[in-house]
Amino acid sequence: MSRQGILIVVSGFSGAGKGTIMKELLGKYEQYALSISATTRAPRPGEREGVEYFFKSREAFEQMITKGELIEYACYVNNYYGTPKAYVEKKLKEGQDVILEIEIQGARKIKEQFPDAVLLFVTTKDAATLKERLKKRGTEELQVIEQRLSRAVQESEGVEEYDYLVINDDLNTCVDQIHAIIESEHQKTKRNREKIEKIREELKDFSKGV
């Protein structure tokens, strides 16, 4: 009886360390596949096409929308972000847990299409830590940092829609917590109906003296 993959949505404030957490999680455990998003934003230093993102022109991205090739998409700080459908469906069928690192608008759309998806929200321990991390990245102008903090205020209004809140204070602890959450989800009865039915039928046979 093969293990079924779970769709996991990871969101969080910009600067909370989502990308670093995902890299550590995939490096430590083999069961995960990170869905690669498409975006119209420019690559940051060190980012590679087809690894961190599929970098698209606005025209190419809008063609993907028209063709129905995205599970979800949203516009964030003047750029499109979206999740290609084919990769996600393939990995779930193969039994891997697929992680989508997307923002709150996309998470809502995913939950509508995949009610069994698990939603996790990542944050720093406080707002001051978040602001400091954004400044230390050194990849964006002050105006963009201010935009991201303003966006965080809006996002904070939707955190209760997520299944779990994860505080990224210590990276290793955070990674292990997320893995434990997902493993726990695999044990839920709603994800093991086939196993339960099999055991039930075997017990019926035993009770009859078979």
Side-chain angles (χ1 to χ4, degrees):
M1 208 175 300
S2 61
R3 170 162 152 152
Q4 297 297 309
I6 295 176
L7 187 59
I8 301 125
V9 175
V10 177
S11 304
F13 303 127
S14 181
K18 301 183 298 296
T20 303
I21 292 168
M22 295 305 98
K23 287 178 183 177
E24 289 292 319
L25 191 67
L26 269 70
K28 192 170 183 179
Y29 303 102
E30 296 181 353
Q31 74 195 59
Y32 301 112
L34 181 63
S35 177
I36 303 170
S37 296
T39 183
T40 57
R41 90 159 160 72
R44 291 180 183 143
E47 289 184 333
R48 296 152 293 172
E49 168 67 20
V51 178
E52 283 78 18
Y53 286 96
F54 296 114
F55 295 100
K56 304 288 183 181
S57 66
R58 183 168 286 268
E59 180 182 3
F61 194 101
E62 289 175 349
Q63 286 178 354
M64 292 179 74
I65 295 172
T66 302
K67 293 177 181 178
E69 295 175 354
L70 299 168
I71 293 177
E72 58 77 35
Y73 68 91
C75 193
Y76 176 67
V77 192
N78 302 320
N79 281 302
Y80 278 125
Y81 293 82
T83 303
K85 183 185 296 182
Y87 178 89
V88 171
E89 292 178 342
K90 177 177 180 290
K91 291 298 181 182
L92 286 175
K93 286 178 181 177
E94 291 174 355
Q96 283 195 279
D97 297 326
V98 180
I99 301 174
L100 307 183
E101 184 191 331
I102 54 178
E103 45 64 63
I104 194 166
Q105 291 175 340
R108 287 169 175 153
K109 293 174 184 176
I110 292 292
K111 195 68 172 178
E112 288 175 6
Q113 295 182 61
F114 301 91
D116 284 342
V118 179
L119 275 55
L120 294 86
F121 195 92
V122 179
T123 181
T124 51
K125 61 182 180 179
D126 53 37
T129 302
L130 185 69
K131 184 177 181 179
E132 188 61 26
R133 286 187 187 177
L134 284 170
K135 290 168 67 177
K136 281 184 176 179
R137 280 205 307 211
T139 58
E140 293 160 341
E141 296 178 355
L142 182 60
Q143 183 180 0
V144 176
I145 291 174
E146 289 174 350
Q147 286 179 330
R148 292 191 182 280
L149 289 170
S150 295
R151 175 73 174 184
V153 174
Q154 299 172 25
E155 290 173 332
S156 69
E157 297 297 327
V159 174
E160 290 89 349
E161 297 175 45
Y162 285 73
D163 300 306
Y164 299 92
L165 180 70
V166 182
I167 308 298
N168 183 19
D169 191 23
D170 176 78
L171 178 61
N172 290 329
T173 300
C174 183
V175 168
D176 289 342
Q177 284 178 343
I178 290 175
H179 177 67
I181 287 168
I182 296 166
E183 283 299 290
S184 177
E185 284 288 330
H186 271 286
Q187 306 310 315
K188 285 190 172 180
T189 53
K190 71 176 183 179
R191 300 188 194 278
N192 290 278
R193 292 192 179 100
E194 188 178 341
K195 292 179 184 177
I196 293 167
E197 186 58 33
K198 181 175 183 295
I199 293 171
R200 182 180 290 130
E201 291 303 315
E202 289 173 347
L203 288 169
K204 287 178 181 177
D205 289 340
F206 289 153
S207 69
K208 297 173 185 176
V210 176

